[in-house]
Amino acid sequence: MAEAPAQPRTTPPVTAPVATGGARESGPLPTARSRRRYRVVLVGLLVLTVGLGFAHLAVDNPMPVGSEGFWLVAQMRGSSLVAMAVVAVCQAMATVSFQTVTNNRIITPSIMGFESLYVAVQTAAVYFLGVSGLGMLTGLPQFVLQIALMVGLSLALYGWLLSGRYANVQIMLLIGIVIGGGLASVSSFMRRMLTPSEFDVLTARMFGSMTNADPMYFPIAIPLCLAAAGLLWWRSRRLNVVALGRDAATNLGLDHRRELMVTLFLVSVLMAVSTALVGPMTFLGFLVATLAYQFADTHDHRRVFPVAVLTGFVVLCGAYVVMKHVFYAQGVVSIIIELVGGTVFLLVILKKGRL
């Protein structure tokens, strides 16, 4: 019997490995390259944070480094560092969370009129009570009252516009813009009626400045900031689901409206603390959030939040150190930040071509 012809031996085709930057896995940082990049960014921001913080304490300090006199001077400067840290946490986490629940990376919580309410309260005090009215707004009870007013206004707005049959985030934002514009117009009218001396004193309070942060406010501001930021951090996985949109979040079993209300309440607390502590910082949050998304390069809020907070502190402290110790013009720090933030805002809009 003839033997069957031998079948040719075949080997599986050899394919060249696809260059993916390392082992790929599921998750917010799917490749080894992205994970390595995130760690480098985080370590770099930490180094800048420590370096700029020490520079703020040591530059132009007349006492030798490490001496008792050096630490006495550093302690006096330390209150501004604490204020910068509080503002960085508040602005960064509030803006990132607000952009997530509104599904828009252009707008910021300032659109809800927090700064306008702060300006209206300060202007009304001078208009009705004179320059001494600003003194009456200084104190721990007055600080708590300003926070309560801002949070109360935002809760009333959210509860009214996000409840009912036709609840709509876009309508809420539109009403917030209208209220903010109305308060700004009233404040502008009252400022026109002030004397030059009263106007000069009031103008100093209209710009965000670390000198506005009185250390006696810290026992209230720091716990509120840490509590609200900690809750947002704890709910970061829920924010990841909310970012998918209302329909997707609902299909995944999440109560979208409840998550929206809770997040907006925490955002209100953070923005109220920041504004009442140092004054208006309109474009700081937008600048920090935009840079954080670029640096972190991930959708995971648990990783975006630390980058945003560190970026906020680096921006604030870096601008403060440069303007105070190089140009000796610490009063224009907030103006520089607003200028840079506004420029970035315009560039982003021009790049996207839409709001």
Side-chain angles (χ1 to χ4, degrees):
M1 181 180 295
E3 295 183 0
Q7 297 293 330
R9 180 179 298 176
T10 60
T11 58
V14 178
T15 58
V18 179
T20 59
R24 179 177 290 276
E25 62 182 39
S26 62
L29 299 171
T31 65
R33 181 178 180 181
S34 62
R35 292 190 291 273
R36 183 167 57 252
R37 178 182 181 276
Y38 180 81
R39 287 193 293 267
V40 170
V41 168
L42 202 61
V43 171
L45 289 173
L46 283 171
V47 171
L48 285 174
T49 298
V50 175
L52 289 171
F54 182 77
H56 175 63
L57 300 178
V59 174
D60 291 339
N61 192 323
M63 307 303 293
V65 177
S67 64
E68 183 178 355
F70 173 86
W71 291 115
L72 288 175
V73 176
Q75 185 177 3
M76 291 186 291
R77 295 182 177 183
S79 60
S80 58
L81 276 183
V82 175
M84 292 178 201
V86 172
V87 172
V89 172
C90 291
Q91 292 280 342
M93 299 198 70
T95 304
V96 171
S97 303
F98 188 79
Q99 291 180 347
T100 296
V101 297
T102 56
N103 196 24
N104 192 317
R105 290 192 180 181
I106 294 293
I107 60 178
T108 68
S110 301
I111 202 174
M112 303 308 298
F114 291 101
E115 282 84 359
S116 299
L117 180 60
Y118 172 86
V119 171
V121 170
Q122 301 288 324
T123 306
V126 177
Y127 180 79
F128 291 108
L129 303 175
V131 177
S132 60
L134 289 178
M136 298 179 65
L137 292 178
T138 302
L140 201 57
Q142 293 84 343
F143 177 73
V144 175
L145 179 61
Q146 290 185 65
I147 294 177
L149 283 174
M150 295 180 194
V151 175
L153 176 64
S154 61
L155 285 180
L157 188 64
Y158 302 153
W160 171 42
L161 296 174
L162 293 180
S163 61
R165 184 177 178 182
Y166 301 104
N168 192 303
V169 175
Q170 283 71 32
I171 294 178
M172 179 197 71
L173 297 176
L174 179 60
I175 297 297
I177 293 173
V178 173
I179 292 177
L183 290 174
S185 298
V186 172
S187 301
S188 178
F189 170 76
M190 288 190 291
R191 284 198 297 272
R192 290 178 180 273
M193 307 296 290
L194 299 178
T195 64
S197 59
E198 292 173 338
F199 181 83
D200 186 55
V201 173
L202 178 64
T203 302
R205 302 292 293 269
M206 296 299 100
F207 297 99
S209 175
M210 297 305 137
T211 57
N212 293 336
D214 196 319
M216 71 176 176
Y217 299 156
F218 292 161
I220 299 295
I222 293 176
L224 285 175
C225 172
L226 293 179
L231 286 172
L232 285 175
W233 168 267
W234 180 64
R235 302 173 66 85
S236 57
R237 289 190 174 92
R238 293 174 176 265
L239 287 174
N240 293 341
V241 179
V242 171
L244 299 176
R246 183 188 186 92
D247 295 337
T250 303
N251 291 334
L252 291 172
L254 201 67
D255 188 342
H256 185 269
R257 180 179 174 276
R258 181 177 180 274
E259 295 302 321
L260 195 66
M261 293 288 292
V262 172
T263 303
L264 289 175
F265 168 71
L266 296 175
V267 168
S268 301
V269 173
L270 291 174
M271 289 301 298
V273 169
S274 173
T275 305
L277 185 64
V278 301
M281 288 278 188
T282 305
F283 286 108
L284 175 63
F286 172 81
L287 176 62
V288 168
T290 302
L291 293 176
Y293 286 126
Q294 296 296 322
F295 293 159
D297 195 22
T298 179
H299 64 275
D300 187 12
H301 288 76
R302 193 161 289 232
R303 290 171 171 82
V304 174
F305 280 147
V307 174
V309 170
L310 292 174
T311 302
F313 185 85
V314 168
V315 169
L316 275 175
C317 193
Y320 197 84
V321 168
V322 171
M323 298 308 297
K324 180 179 180 180
H325 301 296
V326 177
F327 297 102
Y328 302 99
Q330 64 180 28
V332 300
V333 169
S334 62
I335 301 175
I336 298 299
I337 292 176
E338 298 300 298
L339 176 62
V340 175
T343 303
V344 173
F345 178 79
L346 293 177
L347 291 176
V348 171
I349 291 180
L350 293 175
K351 182 179 179 180
K352 289 180 174 290
R354 61 182 176 84
L355 288 175

